[in-house]
Amino acid sequence: MTDPVLILGGTGEARALARRLVDTDVPVVSSLAGRVRDPALPVGEVRIGGFGGVAGLTGWLAEHRPVAVVDATHPFAQQISRNAAAATADAGVPLLALRRPEWRREPGDDWIDVADIHAAAAEVGRRSRRAFLTTGRQDVGAFAAQADTWFLIRVVDPPTAELPPRHELLRSRGPYDVAGERELIDRYRIDHLVTKNSGGSMTSAKLTAARDAGVPVVMVRRPALPEGVTSVDSVAAAADWIDQLR
Ligand code: NAP
């Protein structure tokens, strides 16, 4: 195979897939949005920055003629997944979505499931006086109007959106462990954890710590994939799918 596989990335799974394909002599181009200041880079060729909507991505596919596109973006990165579905259909390029499994409730968990980030903010306003917000930099703005809640806001890079009036910003990058997460919950007297259902092991320690501490979790459900897109939940399955295209 000489034509590359385009991996839409920004996740650990995308980097693991790039590694696996490069190791088996399948050329890859990994694409990153360029949001994070100091991103972990995958092996192989990397391009950074938006394509310019569906038209831009369709043009890129026509020019570079990848054998396939793997959408290994974060489960909550909805726009790029929609664009990938439309552009690959236009360009006649096979598309696979790689999505890590969702987190599932375990015995002892107290989860409040909500449909989106705005519903999470409303729920927090109703229930929480001291919330641990781990939904990521781009979603912090949804909580800006929650003046009655104090927030511990954990982010990789500083948010640019308006922040809720009472908060402390904690800058760090996972992975995290249960003892460290429990320490934060106790030190800041957290009464609710707020998270998107991202899945994966890098950031799941907070769920165990919340369970152990008896702290309820406001859990934002994942958006659906665009209609008709085939998906797998492991890097191995994505590599098999690519293998079958050869
Ligand atoms: P988004 O809302 O779905 O996409 C917004 C725009 O960003 C897209 O229309 C596209 O611009 C560009 N873009 C997104 N991902 C891209 C990629 N891999 N390569 C090139 N352009 C990309 O995305 P988002 O939620 O802002 O996430 C941006 C990136 O951060 C994604 O790659 C995602 O995997 C990663 N990430 C997101 C989250 C999250 O919670 N959303 C968490 C961790 C990591 P054009 O229209 O100009 O092509």
Side-chain angles (χ1 to χ4, degrees), residues 7-11 31-36 47-54 57 72-81 83 135-136 138-139 196 198:
I7 302 175
L8 300 172
T11 60
S31 176
L32 303 179
R35 296 274 192 290
V36 178
R47 66 163 300 287
I48 297 183
F51 293 93
V54 176
L57 181 52
T73 56
H74 190 272
F76 281 82
Q78 274 184 281
Q79 187 60 51
I80 187 68
S81 296
N83 292 358
T135 49
Q138 297 190 81
D139 290 312
K196 299 189 286 198
S198 301

Side-chain angles (χ1 to χ4, degrees), residues 3 8 13 36 53 69 74 86 91 115 135 137 144 149 177 182 199 234:
D3 291 330
L8 300 172
E13 290 75 18
V36 178
V69 175
H74 190 272
T135 49
R137 183 173 74 100
T149 309
D177 62 26
R182 179 62 194 267
S234 72

